[in-house]
Amino acid sequence: MDNLLQVRDAHTFIGQFHILQGVTVNVPQGAITALLGRNGAGKTTTLKTILGLTPPRQGQVIFDGQEIQGRHTFDISALGIGFVPDYRAIFRDLTVAENLQIAERKQGDLARRQELIFGLFPDLKRLIKLRGTQLSGGQQQMLAIARALVAENKLLLIDEPTEGLAPVLIEQMMKAILQLSAETTVLLVEQNFAVATQLAKYYVIVEEGRTVKSGAMPDLLKDEATIHRYLGAA
Amino acid sequence: MTTIIGTIRKNRTQTITLAALILSFLLAIQGMETGDWIITILRGLSVAAVTFLVASGFSLIFGLMDVLNLAHGTLFMIGAYVGWTAYVRPDTLLDLATPAALFFAGLLLLPLWDRWLSRVRLAPQAARGLPWLALALGVGALAFGFARYPITGWDVTVYDKSPVVFGVQLDLGQLDLPAPAIVGAEQLGVSMLCLFAGGGLIALGLTLLESRNRIAAATTRVPWRALLLALGLALGGLALFAWNDALTAFLVAAGTTWRFLIAVIVATLVGAGLGALMESTLIRPLYTRPIYQLMLTLGLGVIGREVVIALWGRTQMQMPKPALFNTIGQGCPAQTIFDALANQCSTISFMGSRIRTYNEIFIFIVGVIVLIVVWLLLQRTRIGMIIRAGVQDRAMVEALGINVRQVFTFVFALGVGLAALGGVLAGPSMGVSDDMGESLLLSALIALAIGGLTSFPGAAAGSLLVGLLQQFIVKYGQIGIALPFLEQPFKPTPPLVPASTLLLMVIILLALPNGLFGRKE
């Protein structure tokens, strides 16, 4: 089992606050890994640390065999990491088409991938001329994931994809993520424990900025004490 | 129809503000003769165009990078001085072109260094010290070479040889350029070599600095295109030197219209270059420290003004209008625009008064062209798309793998280039002086506050309002406003011109805290 991404003992500060105090994450190639933990545990900061948006002050981030900590965000991303932030970050002034085009890294990326993208999210085809402001929350979430698929990324960092969505849309989103995980490795932050357990093959739990447990998802499901202690779910 | 009503309902305050603006505009028109208000509007449009050139650049830079570039007024002024030089002293321009070409040819060696560096491994100590050594040597060589290069200039300390005199001479049609400066062949060769080497060493320093924190992507191909371009630039620079006298004579004979065109292009390019240089060297390290940034741009503005005074002298200089807009008599003032173009008239007679072709028509047309071109750039090109996205969420644009630094440099160059273009355009109508930038920066800031700080249409609308208001107040200062409870008509005094725009800004911001086109943050 090869790890596509490894975060080793990362310490990240935001201002004076020591947010990550030793996060270690292994993301095996070709599967979904769920990053679990309570609100404010440091899950989003972990994703930002990987991308260099909040660079780690200590520790290593190794992607595809090379150390990437300390590099510019655009250099890191260009190595093949797609990002779907929790706030979706759809560009308001751009149309849906432009929101996709902007993610092209090589000319013609979108043309090559549009079959895949519109296969996963047929709705987007209908909305292609609308502006970012005119989309509903679910549509924005689809667009945010679609945008991360335009370039050929080896790894997707997806933050809270089902947050605030209606149950029907959650189903649809889960199907889409499962489908795209067939060809891309995914590191998923998910508050909804039921969703996370159905999607992910591996898990990592962070608590107060530290990795406290990790392993295969089926083992976690048997370990009720851990679930109760760190996730507060049952 | 329903959608229109819906939009109006949604933006009620905007609609009321717009109606109030139109109403007060109609009221202002009522107090004047038809000819008067049409000319006042034309003048307002011209002021608006210059204000827009400064405001739009400022707003692009602020919108994308959150940098309040307080040096923008100074850069506008520098544009005017550079344009003046290209216009009045083509010999100086040509003398400066050769060193500039050689220096940039040296800089273009950058990809070659890049390739070389990807093959050698430097010891850590060397990697720390070498970039700064190369940069220091480069700057030294540059200064050494430039000081020894023959440049036919002027002398601000001697009145007969000062820039002011050349401006007056050109205005009278008696431009008398000084004899070209000449140095020995040996000094010339050394100086040229130093200029080229200076560029090359600075390129090496920059490459070394950049390579310290970079992904080791080995560039294996020889950068032929850059090398050919460098060779072409160097040869071009040498050719300019070889035919310097002939080209000077040609430019003098070509007349003011063509020289003005050249001046506009040169000033805009120099402005863009200054902008790129400012961003990549001084602003870039300070993106996370807004207060320092503010101090920096404020200081740069002051320094820039002092440098201009040192180089060109303190007095206001004349920049005569290009011949295309400067003929008096011989069928002038013209009756129509076409006559005006055919006879190169300075004015068109219109309902008993005169419209100045340069001030009231040409400047406005250039303003509109720039508006359209920048709008198309923003809406139709990939870089425009990245800018629009970056204004909203810079981090996400980076997370898509887009090198935002390059976009920042581009936008800074674009913004400063627009300001410099405004400066050279304003030169013939406002006169060229070292304080021309300050009042204009203030007008531009007011226009932006009115329009919404980071909105491009807002910059245009705000500039329009500021320009029109200023000119209406100026006009009413001459004819007076008949108010019912006053015996004498009220005549606004000149200080009321800027004050009125501030008042307008206060009123609009009270109604719409984010300006006309601004978004709630």
Side-chain angles (χ1 to χ4, degrees):
Chain A
M1 181 183 71
D2 271 354
N3 285 327
L4 178 62
L5 175 83
Q6 284 178 292
V7 180
R8 286 189 196 151
D9 193 32
H11 289 250
T12 301
F13 288 71
I14 296 179
Q16 298 172 5
F17 300 104
H18 197 168
I19 306 290
L20 299 192
Q21 311 180 8
V23 164
T24 297
V25 177
N26 290 325
V27 180
Q29 179 104 39
I32 300 179
T33 302
L35 192 55
L36 306 172
R38 292 202 176 92
N39 266 333
K43 297 175 306 241
T44 298
T45 307
T46 304
L47 296 192
K48 286 186 171 172
T49 298
I50 294 166
L51 271 173
L53 287 168
T54 54
R57 212 177 272 184
Q58 240 184 76
Q60 292 158 314
V61 182
I62 298 157
F63 176 70
D64 215 5
Q66 47 182 330
E67 285 191 29
I68 58 170
Q69 76 273 8
R71 289 183 187 164
H72 298 301
T73 297
F74 50 80
D75 280 338
I76 294 174
S77 163
L79 292 174
I81 302 182
F83 182 41
V84 183
D86 52 347
Y87 64 104
R88 286 148 198 173
I90 296 306
F91 301 118
R92 289 185 296 247
D93 284 351
L94 272 56
T95 61
V96 170
E98 286 176 324
N99 265 293
L100 293 173
Q101 277 164 22
I102 197 172
E104 286 190 329
R105 270 187 220 128
K106 292 190 296 273
Q107 193 121 40
D109 268 349
L110 183 57
R112 274 193 293 280
R113 308 271 287 182
Q114 65 178 343
E115 210 170 312
L116 168 87
I117 289 169
F118 294 133
L120 286 173
F121 306 110
D123 278 1
L124 288 181
K125 208 166 191 171
R126 184 167 56 78
L127 306 167
I128 200 87
K129 281 187 177 153
L130 291 187
R131 287 190 181 270
T133 32
Q134 295 166 294
L135 301 183
S136 70
Q139 291 163 345
Q140 288 193 8
Q141 188 63 64
M142 291 177 201
L143 181 55
I145 294 178
R147 185 175 57 188
L149 295 175
V150 170
E152 284 186 30
N153 288 317
K154 296 175 195 144
L155 172 69
L156 295 184
L157 309 176
I158 305 181
D159 199 354
E160 304 271 4
T162 62
E163 195 191 17
L165 297 188
V168 187
L169 287 173
I170 294 183
E171 286 279 308
Q172 201 186 334
M173 205 59 69
M174 285 170 67
K175 245 171 81 186
I177 292 172
L178 267 184
Q179 229 172 312
L180 65 88
S181 72
E183 52 180 289
T184 316
T185 308
V186 175
L187 177 59
L188 176 77
V189 170
E190 181 56 72
Q191 281 281 348
N192 187 330
F193 189 59
V195 172
T197 48
Q198 283 177 59
L199 288 177
K201 209 165 159 190
Y202 303 96
Y203 75 94
V204 177
I205 298 176
V206 283
E207 171 82 5
E208 290 179 348
R210 290 188 183 86
T211 299
V212 289
K213 214 152 170 77
S214 61
M217 195 53 104
D219 299 338
L220 176 66
L221 288 173
K222 285 178 224 149
D223 186 359
E224 267 179 44
T226 302
I227 296 176
H228 198 73
R229 184 166 168 203
Y230 295 114
L231 305 172
Chain B
M1 194 59 200
T2 46
T3 55
I4 295 175
I5 294 173
T7 332
I8 290 177
R9 273 220 192 110
K10 223 192 255 167
N11 307 309
R12 197 188 305 150
T13 325
Q14 261 111 327
T15 318
I16 295 173
T17 312
L18 199 68
L21 284 173
I22 292 173
L23 191 71
S24 45
F25 176 67
L26 290 175
L27 271 177
I29 285 175
Q30 282 299 310
M32 287 188 192
E33 309 271 331
T34 315
D36 275 353
W37 66 256
I38 292 182
I39 288 205
T40 307
I41 289 179
L42 286 175
R43 288 195 181 146
L45 290 178
S46 156
V47 174
V50 175
T51 312
F52 169 73
L53 287 174
V54 176
S56 59
F58 189 93
S59 135
L60 279 172
I61 291 172
F62 178 66
L64 185 65
M65 296 164 247
D66 291 332
V67 175
L68 282 171
N69 182 16
L70 296 181
H72 220 65
T74 300
L75 291 160
F76 166 84
M77 184 255 309
I78 289 176
Y81 275 86
V82 170
W84 180 91
T85 307
Y87 187 57
V88 179
R89 292 296 304 271
D91 55 335
T92 310
L93 176 75
L94 281 170
D95 283 355
L96 288 170
T98 305
L102 288 172
F103 169 66
F104 281 113
L107 268 188
L108 276 173
L109 297 181
L110 211 140
L112 197 69
W113 296 128
D114 218 27
R115 184 176 133 84
W116 174 68
L117 271 175
S118 65
R119 296 185 169 193
V120 293
R121 269 227 169 274
L122 289 172
Q125 286 98 334
R128 215 169 298 139
L130 215 53
W132 301 109
L133 184 69
L135 281 179
L137 280 176
V139 171
L142 201 63
F144 183 86
F146 192 70
R148 274 150 191 79
Y149 191 83
I151 288 162
T152 327
W154 50 75
D155 189 346
V156 280
T157 55
V158 184
Y159 180 74
D160 285 347
K161 296 175 186 165
S162 71
V164 184
V165 170
F166 290 107
V168 174
Q169 279 181 0
L170 183 65
D171 196 27
L172 298 172
Q174 300 163 347
L175 187 57
D176 183 22
L177 298 178
I182 293 170
V183 296
E186 194 176 327
Q187 185 182 340
L188 190 70
V190 168
S191 135
M192 282 181 169
L193 216 62
C194 281
L195 285 163
F196 180 73
L201 281 168
I202 289 176
L204 175 63
L206 291 177
T207 321
L208 283 166
L209 268 183
E210 188 60 24
S211 71
R212 291 192 305 190
N213 43 11
R214 197 187 34 160
I215 295 177
T219 36
T220 43
R221 264 179 302 167
V222 182
W224 287 115
R225 207 198 279 175
L227 286 183
L228 278 176
L229 204 63
L231 188 68
L233 254 182
L235 287 178
L238 292 177
L240 279 177
F241 176 79
W243 289 302
N244 189 305
D245 292 344
L247 279 169
T248 304
F250 174 77
L251 279 181
V252 171
T256 46
T257 304
W258 288 110
R259 271 211 319 273
F260 187 70
L261 185 68
I262 293 173
V264 166
I265 296 170
V266 168
T268 311
L269 289 180
V270 168
L274 275 178
L277 193 71
M278 246 176 94
E279 195 278 338
S280 55
T281 55
L282 297 172
I283 310 259
R284 187 171 290 171
L286 297 179
Y287 275 121
T288 47
R289 297 150 89 185
I291 302 294
Y292 291 81
Q293 244 172 44
L294 221 57
M295 305 282 283
L296 174 79
T297 57
L298 191 67
L300 282 178
V302 176
I303 292 170
R305 195 168 156 190
E306 291 304 319
V307 169
V308 163
I309 290 174
L311 288 178
W312 279 276
R314 193 175 278 278
T315 351
Q316 171 155 9
M317 305 189 302
Q318 292 200 39
M319 185 160 176
K321 284 170 187 157
L324 184 59
F325 309 104
N326 210 15
T327 309
I328 309 166
Q330 299 159 353
C332 297
Q335 299 304 316
T336 65
I337 290 185
F338 303 105
D339 285 353
L341 278 178
N343 297 328
Q344 311 197 330
C345 288
S346 69
T347 54
I348 300 173
S349 72
F350 176 80
M351 300 188 75
S353 43
R354 287 176 186 179
I355 301 170
R356 288 167 292 181
T357 43
Y358 181 85
N359 292 25
E360 271 101 59
I361 297 177
F362 176 71
I363 291 185
F364 175 64
I365 291 176
V366 175
V368 171
I369 293 174
V370 169
L371 174 73
I372 295 170
V373 168
V374 176
W375 179 253
L376 286 177
L377 176 86
L378 286 175
Q379 297 295 329
R380 294 288 157 85
T381 62
R382 181 167 167 83
I383 188 144
M385 194 159 77
I386 294 171
I387 293 170
R388 278 183 293 142
V391 168
Q392 183 197 326
D393 192 339
R394 210 184 313 162
M396 190 61 223
V397 173
E398 274 194 75
L400 290 172
I402 294 164
N403 185 345
V404 194
R405 284 173 161 214
Q406 285 170 2
V407 182
F408 280 11
T409 311
F410 173 81
V411 168
F412 224 94
L414 177 70
V416 176
L418 288 179
L421 173 64
V424 63
L425 282 178
S429 65
M430 283 172 59
V432 178
S433 65
D434 56 272
D435 55 6
M436 67 193 287
E438 277 165 33
S439 57
L440 209 85
L441 179 63
L442 192 65
S443 293
L445 285 177
I446 293 170
L448 284 177
I450 290 174
L453 271 179
T454 58
S455 152
F456 188 70
S463 305
L464 190 68
L465 285 176
V466 166
L468 285 176
L469 182 64
Q470 282 184 1
Q471 288 307 307
F472 267 96
I473 300 286
V474 168
K475 191 68 193 175
Y476 271 120
Q478 293 160 8
I479 61 173
I481 309 171
L483 291 172
F485 46 87
L486 287 180
E487 284 179 24
Q488 295 283 323
F490 168 65
K491 290 189 172 176
T493 48
L496 279 179
V497 175
S500 65
T501 56
L502 269 172
L503 188 68
L504 176 71
M505 176 184 89
V506 170
I507 293 172
I508 289 194
L509 289 186
L510 281 175
L512 298 163
N514 297 306
L516 290 173
F517 290 80
R519 269 224 187 75
K520 281 195 198 102
E521 288 305 321

